[in-house]
Amino acid sequence: MAESNEFHLSFSRIAIYDNCPMRYKFIYVDKLSTMPRGYFSFGSTIHKVLEIFYHPDKNFIKQKRPPLEYLMELLDEHWISEGYKGGEEERARKEAIDLLKKIYRENIFGFSPAYEVEKNFSFNLDKFKVIGRIDRIDKVGDVYKIIDYKTNRVLPKFFREIDLLQPIIYYIAGKEALHLPKIETVSLLFVRYNKEISFDLNDRLVEKGKEKIIRTGEQILANNFEPKVGKNCSTCEFRDICPAFKKTEQDEISLKAHS
Ligand code: SF4
């Protein structure tokens, strides 16, 4: 297959494949470009601001800066305008300011800089290379906390198998690639709510996660790119060129014409 020379897996690749293998093919095999989206820009901006704010050397304490002013300055400096339409950007900017003010209010007392931020990792599993980047690692005493930022508008009510895979990958990476001696928690921090959800990862879940990674890798290598037509299609940028979506649309039209 076209991407075999550089083939690797990551959580986002596996999640895209899980969502729709055909969309995975469009992005990673056919290498079609994806449309910039406002919510991706929003997420990248907030990640960058928090990366610097919690950075072991660039945090406001080391920089001797008033924290709220520093947060707002970082927001200006790292704001990404790509992908917003109409008045969306202005609204998003206001949301980002509110979100950072909330983070400031709720975290500033007892603030501790991270042990590491934006930590790249790579590990081998079966014949697959898995890569990724951890947003933040905190160290409290001799234990480590792995944190991933989420900018979702809505707090999830439950976690699907695929959602659990990200903390599992980070847990494996923390142990096997970064050699952190004692991982206390792996958490998703929903920054709009300042709510941290930690996962109790036992050996069984880790094994299941590993099986999922290997299974997905095998399916990709076998060129299994079956489309998953469904609600995902409403936000898919490849609808106009996707034969499966077009066929479903045509089937629906002819069904309506005959009813
Ligand atoms: S339109 Fe639907 S079926 Fe086609 S690639 Fe996109 S998500 Fe998959």
Side-chain angles (χ1 to χ4, degrees):
M1 68 192 249
E3 64 162 343
S4 58
N5 290 345
E6 60 201 56
F7 183 62
H8 62 262
L9 292 168
S10 63
F11 170 68
S12 61
R13 282 180 174 233
I14 296 170
I16 287 171
Y17 185 89
D18 197 70
N19 221 258
C20 175
M22 175 71 93
R23 183 165 181 267
Y24 177 97
K25 177 179 175 291
F26 285 142
I27 299 173
Y28 295 110
V29 181
D30 302 339
K31 300 196 189 306
L32 303 181
S33 51
T34 53
M35 242 179 2
R37 302 265 172 96
Y39 58 84
F40 289 139
S41 298
F42 186 89
S44 302
T45 300
I46 298 298
H47 273 73
K48 190 69 195 171
V49 171
L50 294 179
E51 174 196 332
I52 301 171
F53 194 68
Y54 279 91
H55 192 285
D57 300 318
K58 297 179 192 162
N59 65 77
F60 71 91
I61 300 170
K62 280 265 173 89
Q63 297 294 314
K64 300 188 172 47
R65 299 295 317 281
L68 186 56
E69 198 180 300
Y70 192 42
L71 275 172
M72 295 302 137
E73 246 180 56
L74 292 173
L75 180 66
D76 282 344
E77 204 177 317
H78 297 285
W79 182 256
I80 302 167
S81 289
E82 241 184 3
Y84 293 106
K85 292 188 199 116
E88 277 176 9
E89 185 172 359
E90 205 178 317
R91 279 197 297 279
R93 205 169 177 111
K94 193 180 167 310
E95 279 177 15
I97 291 171
D98 291 346
L99 180 160
L100 293 175
K101 281 184 178 169
K102 185 175 170 65
I103 287 180
Y104 162 76
R105 278 196 309 272
E106 296 181 8
N107 295 287
I108 210 64
F109 297 106
F111 173 91
S112 301
Y115 172 71
E116 294 217 56
V117 290
E118 294 294 308
K119 183 71 183 165
N120 289 319
F121 65 79
S122 150
F123 61 85
N124 293 320
L125 181 61
D126 199 75
K127 58 175 169 288
F128 301 106
K129 181 178 176 183
V130 182
I131 67 162
R133 186 182 298 153
I134 293 173
D135 290 336
R136 186 169 123 203
I137 303 173
D138 285 353
K139 184 170 186 255
V140 185
D142 62 348
V143 297
Y144 296 82
K145 279 179 69 177
I146 293 177
I147 297 166
D148 187 64
Y149 299 129
K150 295 285 174 209
T151 50
N152 303 30
R153 280 188 179 282
V154 181
L155 272 178
K157 290 198 175 73
F158 59 91
F159 291 91
R160 301 162 302 167
E161 185 196 16
I162 189 68
D163 302 319
L164 281 179
L165 189 62
Q166 189 175 27
I168 290 172
I169 288 177
Y170 288 173
Y171 183 77
I172 300 169
K175 288 208 151 221
E176 296 181 16
L178 307 177
H179 307 292
L180 302 176
K182 203 167 167 189
I183 300 170
E184 187 185 51
T185 51
V186 181
S187 311
L188 302 181
L189 174 57
F190 292 84
V191 288
R192 286 180 194 264
Y193 301 87
N194 194 28
K195 182 159 179 62
E196 197 173 315
I197 297 181
S198 301
F199 295 88
D200 188 12
L201 298 173
N202 54 39
D203 290 349
R204 193 183 61 84
L205 282 172
V206 171
E207 269 322 300
K208 274 187 82 173
K210 285 183 173 178
E211 282 165 18
K212 170 82 180 167
I213 296 168
I214 294 169
R215 207 164 51 241
T216 306
E218 298 284 10
Q219 283 171 347
I220 293 170
L221 289 184
N223 287 334
N224 179 1
F225 298 119
E226 274 296 301
K228 263 193 201 172
V229 180
K231 62 178 189 314
N232 303 324
C233 302
S234 64
T235 53
C236 178
E237 62 275 68
F238 303 117
R239 274 182 305 176
D240 292 346
I241 58 162
C242 173
F245 181 75
K246 281 186 180 169
K247 186 175 178 315
T248 309
E249 253 191 341
Q250 278 158 7
D251 289 352
E252 279 173 7
I253 291 168
S254 51
L255 205 70
K256 273 184 196 155
H258 288 99
S259 63

